[in-house]
Amino acid sequence: IVLQVLLSQQHRLRALVLLGRFLDMGPWAVDLALSVGIFPYVLKLLQTSATDLRQILVFIWTKIMALDRSCQVDLCKDNGHAYFVKFLDSPGLPADQRAMAAFVLATIADEHHKGQLACMHSSLLPVCVVSIQELLSQRPMAMDGQGLMQLEGQASWDSGTELLVRWLCLCLGKMWDNCAEVQSHALGTYIDEQSPMDVMAPLLAAPMPEVRAAAVYALGALVSLEGAMLPMEEDGAGGNGAPAELARTTSRLVTEASRQAHERVIACRLLNLVSDSSPLV
């Protein structure tokens, strides 16, 4: 019955809310919903521009991707990942809901080369980096002994913001993990003259071990044993219709020497955490 109601534009929102409540009952509910054919319906709804459906659709896809990662193939094929990039790039939405979009995108890129490239071409990297910059701007910062910006004080973010920061880091890490093209793109990308490594560095001193661990993973995944060239022109910028972050983004050519220099900087920053008391880190 719910599947049939989804076809009705008038009652679609209420049907999605009911579906979301059912999926929230547990993995068995998600498995049952997929077995009766819910997937093509919710996949097609990602093509809609209705703003009132965004939050419940992201919630439903969070439940689906948490159970069945194989959906990443269909999402990339139908350009569904772009829906979640646009949702993530909406600062006015609650942080915990944006974290769900980051989780879906991280799952799309998880050990999936086509998904990693699709996310890169959808400007996910600048969206994540600028989001981290904006969240860090809400916290007091101080210069450490090495001339690097670090978080000041031990006050934590609220739970929703902390979750968002964590999944932004994990999303970046999953996108460039074992993917030379995305790694080169990340090493050559500067937003407001800051590289992704510079932006994430203060998170290594975050009071929450989950955030520190996510930042360590993202930075560590950027270290590669193989060199690669940045497959784009220097000082590239987005065209019409591109996310606003691209207007603040410049790109530089990555050589083997510059890659090694970047990796030495990452290694030095991670060395500061060898005495971290958290087993998670």
Side-chain angles (χ1 to χ4, degrees):
I1 296 176
V2 173
L3 293 179
Q4 294 176 350
V5 176
L6 284 177
L7 300 175
S8 168
Q9 189 171 356
Q10 180 181 359
H11 303 292
R12 186 171 293 159
L13 177 58
R14 282 182 286 181
L16 287 173
V17 171
L18 284 174
L19 177 60
R21 290 176 180 174
F22 178 70
L23 298 181
D24 201 29
M25 296 177 70
W28 66 268
V30 180
D31 186 59
L32 182 59
L34 291 174
S35 67
V36 299
I38 196 69
F39 182 80
Y41 290 86
V42 291
L43 181 62
K44 188 174 182 179
L45 285 175
L46 294 180
Q47 308 301 323
T48 182
S49 59
T51 57
D52 58 334
L53 302 181
R54 292 190 304 170
Q55 295 174 336
I56 187 60
L57 273 176
V58 169
F59 177 81
I60 288 172
W61 274 102
T62 300
K63 294 297 181 179
I64 292 175
M65 296 299 285
L67 178 73
D68 187 2
R69 194 181 65 174
S70 66
C71 297
Q72 60 189 181
V73 177
D74 294 293
L75 278 172
C76 288
K77 184 172 63 177
D78 288 15
N79 203 38
H81 62 282
Y83 187 90
F84 301 99
V85 175
K86 185 176 181 180
F87 188 94
L88 182 60
D89 189 25
S90 302
L93 293 173
D96 56 344
Q97 294 182 9
R98 293 175 65 202
M100 293 183 190
F103 166 78
V104 173
L105 290 164
T107 310
I108 290 174
D110 188 22
E111 298 181 356
H112 183 216
H113 188 253
K114 289 184 178 179
Q116 291 171 312
L117 295 180
C119 289
M120 180 186 75
H121 293 309
S122 295
S123 304
L124 178 58
L125 190 146
V127 167
C128 287
V129 172
V130 169
S131 296
I132 294 174
Q133 286 177 323
E134 292 173 347
L135 293 170
L136 285 174
S137 69
Q138 303 170 9
R139 296 288 305 276
M141 305 282 286
M143 195 81 72
D144 67 3
Q146 299 176 343
L148 301 174
M149 296 303 296
Q150 298 289 348
L151 289 173
E152 188 177 31
Q154 294 298 311
S156 300
W157 282 293
D158 62 81
S159 58
T161 303
E162 178 189 336
L163 189 67
L164 176 58
V165 173
R166 189 193 320 168
W167 277 106
L168 287 170
C169 291
L170 292 173
C171 191
L172 288 170
K174 290 295 183 182
M175 184 169 57
W176 60 50
D177 193 9
N178 292 319
C179 184
E181 298 94 328
V182 184
Q183 288 175 349
S184 291
H185 178 61
L187 293 175
T189 296
Y190 288 76
I191 300 173
D192 294 337
E193 297 303 315
Q194 279 191 305
S195 70
M197 297 82 72
D198 297 330
V199 173
M200 286 191 290
L203 298 177
L204 297 175
M208 302 76 69
E210 295 86 357
V211 173
R212 297 199 303 274
V216 168
Y217 165 72
L219 290 172
L222 200 50
V223 176
S224 174
L225 297 178
E226 299 180 1
M229 300 295 288
L230 181 69
M232 57 190 298
E233 296 294 328
E234 292 189 79
D235 296 323
N240 294 333
E245 288 81 0
L246 293 188
R248 301 156 57 182
T249 303
T250 57
S251 300
R252 305 174 188 177
L253 191 65
V254 175
T255 63
E256 180 62 18
S258 62
R259 169 185 283 277
Q260 291 177 359
H262 283 302
E263 292 180 347
R264 283 195 294 270
V265 171
I266 292 173
C268 290
R269 288 175 175 173
L270 294 182
L271 278 174
N272 294 326
L273 277 82
V274 294
S275 59
D276 194 289
S277 59
S278 172
L280 189 61
V281 178

